[in-house]
Amino acid sequence: MAGFGNVKISHLRKYHAHLLQQAFDMKMRISSYWAIVLRRIVDSLALYLQLSVKYLVNSQFQKEVVAEMVDPRGGGGVERMMEESPSVASKREKLKNSIKLLKESKDAVAAIVDQTSGYGDR
């Protein structure tokens, strides 16, 4: 059988067949159940780690952030958080330019459609 390798059974000849069958059934049930137990242990450990990290972030890290922001020595914690990074500012400018170009393109296409529909009426 897979997972058990070679099993010596010569010492089992002294037991009754009925008892051997019960022992074999019990061994197979425990073996199959053990795989389920191991999966549950791994799942429980993963859930525990996730809960622990969530707790750490929600309680401990939150305290540190609030303390840093209201610290009179460091000061300006809220202002520093609200500052826009240069990369975000450049992306914002690119998006504004793209929106402006799209609006101009829309107006140009609308003008062309108006012109072509106007010529079709003549």
Side-chain angles (χ1 to χ4, degrees):
M1 283 187 282
F4 292 100
N6 292 333
V7 179
K8 295 182 181 180
I9 59 168
S10 58
H11 65 284
L12 299 175
R13 294 187 196 279
K14 60 184 175 183
Y15 297 103
H16 294 285
H18 180 67
L19 183 62
L20 291 174
Q21 185 62 40
Q22 286 179 340
F24 179 78
D25 287 343
M26 184 187 310
K27 176 65 176 173
M28 291 300 107
R29 289 177 189 210
I30 290 173
S31 297
S32 63
Y33 185 67
W34 184 245
I36 295 169
V37 169
L38 286 178
R39 268 190 245 125
R40 290 291 303 247
I41 290 172
V42 170
D43 289 346
S44 296
L45 180 63
L47 288 173
Y48 176 76
L49 288 174
Q50 185 180 11
L51 181 67
S52 298
V53 169
K54 190 174 187 178
Y55 171 75
L56 178 68
V57 169
N58 286 342
S59 64
Q60 304 300 321
F61 190 63
Q62 184 178 16
K63 290 176 187 174
E64 290 181 26
V65 168
V66 169
E68 176 70 27
M69 283 201 219
V70 296
D71 186 15
R73 291 171 291 160
V78 175
E79 288 83 10
R80 281 196 314 266
M81 277 185 53
M82 299 303 287
E83 285 179 5
E84 190 173 57
S85 70
S87 64
V88 172
S90 68
K91 288 178 183 178
R92 183 181 310 285
E93 281 302 314
K94 287 179 184 178
L95 283 172
K96 283 182 182 178
N97 292 337
S98 295
I99 290 170
K100 181 181 173 185
L101 183 62
L102 283 170
K103 285 180 180 178
E104 291 172 0
S105 299
K106 181 189 86 159
D107 293 340
V109 168
I112 292 171
V113 168
D114 287 345
Q115 286 179 355
T116 55
S117 65
Y119 288 125
D121 292 341
R122 293 184 188 175

